[in-house]
Amino acid sequence: MTEAMAQADLIRMGVFLAIFAAMASWEVLAPLRRSGLPRLVRWSNNLAMVAVGNLLLKLVFPLTAVSFAALAQARGWGLLGQVNWPGWLELALAFVILDLAIYAQHRLFHSVPLLWRLHRVHHADTMIDVTTALRFHPLEIALSMGIKLAVIALAGASAEAVLLFEIVLNGAAMFNHANVSLPAWLERPLRWAIVTPDMHRIHHSTLADETNSNYGFNLSCWDRLFASYTARPSRPQETMPIGLDQFRDPRDAWLDRLLLQPFAPSQPSPEG
Ligand SMILES: [Zn+2]
């Protein structure tokens, strides 16, 4: 591993731990909703999923997305590599392209039944908090990585752009899954730019038309642009049921069940 890559990993880890600690503390000090399950059970199993996912990623992919971007850049691959853009513009364009790709991928995982089986593990959490942001089935994580590498190669995103995007996306996901709510004076202007916790929580509602909306993870413009925006849930944010009807047994929160959920008998995707 080059020194630059080791440094990138260090920055990523530092920002991740800082934002995780900040959101977790905020949730403890001012939680919006009460959890039905003990925090220890949810947290230990959700975080164990993260560990399994990262392990699989390391086994399957010899390169990180950042080092792959450096390779793509050196070979002049992709759209952005064809023009000599100013550095800031190239960074901004790469960021927007990657964010749009994540939005499109998220919609895809909701609409293709086989992919929904993987993605529903994220949605089956009956509570939504900072650890939900990290709880994805390892197969979804590996598949997302493959899609991300293809987008990086097609877009020609630089290593710096990919590192920035990964750090911001990770931080944004922990922020918008957090069990907190912003005051109205902050919520309104902020939601015009980014996805807030109140906006994303609607995506975790048990109601299908709410689950199939607010797909954005980072910039909030995509849902408005592509007509998938729900401004308010039909039930109160504090008490509306979260999760999936199919997986409400407390045992469903445990690692073994989480890993097997994609293979459980199917209930159609909320989108049908
Ligand atoms: Zn989703």
Side-chain angles (χ1 to χ4, degrees), residues 235-250:
R235 302 164 297 183
Q237 285 272 7
E238 293 83 352
T239 52
M240 64 177 193
I242 294 286
L244 298 172
D245 292 337
Q246 194 180 348
F247 302 106
R248 301 207 81 83
D249 188 314

Side-chain angles (χ1 to χ4, degrees), residues 11 59 74 95 107 119-120 137 139 142 156 240 248 257 265:
I11 296 171
L59 287 173
F95 189 93
R107 288 197 74 152
H119 184 59
R120 70 182 179 183
H137 195 277
L139 292 176
M240 64 177 193
R248 301 207 81 83
R257 291 270 186 103

Side-chain angles (χ1 to χ4, degrees), residues 52-118:
V52 177
N54 278 323
L55 196 70
L56 183 73
L57 216 51
K58 286 213 162 56
L59 287 173
V60 175
F61 293 93
L63 289 176
T64 64
V66 174
S67 46
F68 180 75
L71 186 86
Q73 200 175 13
R75 304 204 171 160
W77 291 350
L79 209 67
L80 295 171
Q82 309 310 314
V83 182
N84 208 1
W85 312 86
W88 65 268
L89 184 60
E90 192 175 323
L91 198 72
L93 285 172
F95 189 93
V96 170
I97 293 172
L98 287 168
D99 202 47
L100 175 59
I102 291 284
Y103 168 86
Q105 182 194 320
H106 192 183
R107 288 197 74 152
L108 191 73
F109 272 81
H110 273 250
S111 55
V112 177
L114 215 61
L115 298 178
W116 169 248
R117 279 174 171 267
L118 300 177

Side-chain angles (χ1 to χ4, degrees), residues 34-271:
R34 286 213 313 217
S35 173
L37 283 170
R39 188 188 297 266
L40 185 68
V41 172
R42 279 193 57 256
W43 276 44
S44 50
N45 285 285
N46 284 0
L47 294 176
M49 280 283 277
V50 183
V52 177
N54 278 323
L55 196 70
L56 183 73
L57 216 51
K58 286 213 162 56
L59 287 173
V60 175
F61 293 93
L63 289 176
T64 64
V66 174
S67 46
F68 180 75
L71 186 86
Q73 200 175 13
R75 304 204 171 160
W77 291 350
L79 209 67
L80 295 171
Q82 309 310 314
V83 182
N84 208 1
W85 312 86
W88 65 268
L89 184 60
E90 192 175 323
L91 198 72
L93 285 172
F95 189 93
V96 170
I97 293 172
L98 287 168
D99 202 47
L100 175 59
I102 291 284
Y103 168 86
Q105 182 194 320
H106 192 183
R107 288 197 74 152
L108 191 73
F109 272 81
H110 273 250
S111 55
V112 177
L114 215 61
L115 298 178
W116 169 248
R117 279 174 171 267
L118 300 177
H119 184 59
R120 70 182 179 183
V121 179
H122 173 67
H123 277 272
D125 205 343
T126 50
M127 170 72 185
I128 174 171
D129 70 8
V130 64
T131 65
T132 313
L134 311 167
R135 173 183 136 150
F136 288 93
H137 195 277
L139 292 176
E140 179 174 359
I141 292 180
L143 207 55
S144 303
M145 181 67 164
I147 295 172
K148 196 197 297 184
L149 296 185
V151 173
I152 289 170
L154 285 172
S158 67
E160 294 77 19
V162 173
L163 179 64
L164 178 76
F165 182 74
E166 287 194 323
I167 290 174
V168 172
L169 182 71
N170 194 244
M174 288 192 282
F175 167 68
N176 63 43
H177 283 86
N179 182 28
V180 299
S181 191
L182 302 173
W185 62 265
L186 189 57
E187 173 75 26
R188 213 165 307 151
L190 206 61
R191 204 192 275 197
W192 276 107
I194 63 165
V195 177
T196 61
D198 276 4
M199 176 177 166
H200 190 72
R201 196 174 301 108
I202 299 169
H203 182 72
H204 284 261
S205 150
T206 52
L207 301 178
D209 52 345
E210 292 181 352
T211 307
N212 293 312
S213 72
N214 295 4
Y215 294 97
F217 269 122
N218 203 352
L219 301 174
S220 66
C221 59
W222 309 123
D223 282 300
R224 296 176 206 269
L225 219 68
F226 298 109
S228 56
Y229 178 58
T230 302
R232 250 166 267 101
S234 58
R235 302 164 297 183
Q237 285 272 7
E238 293 83 352
T239 52
M240 64 177 193
I242 294 286
L244 298 172
D245 292 337
Q246 194 180 348
F247 302 106
R248 301 207 81 83
D249 188 314
R251 261 296 274 134
D252 289 328
W254 289 75
L255 180 67
D256 57 329
R257 291 270 186 103
L258 292 176
L259 290 171
L260 290 173
Q261 261 177 27
F263 314 102
S266 181
Q267 217 174 55
S269 136
E271 200 161 304

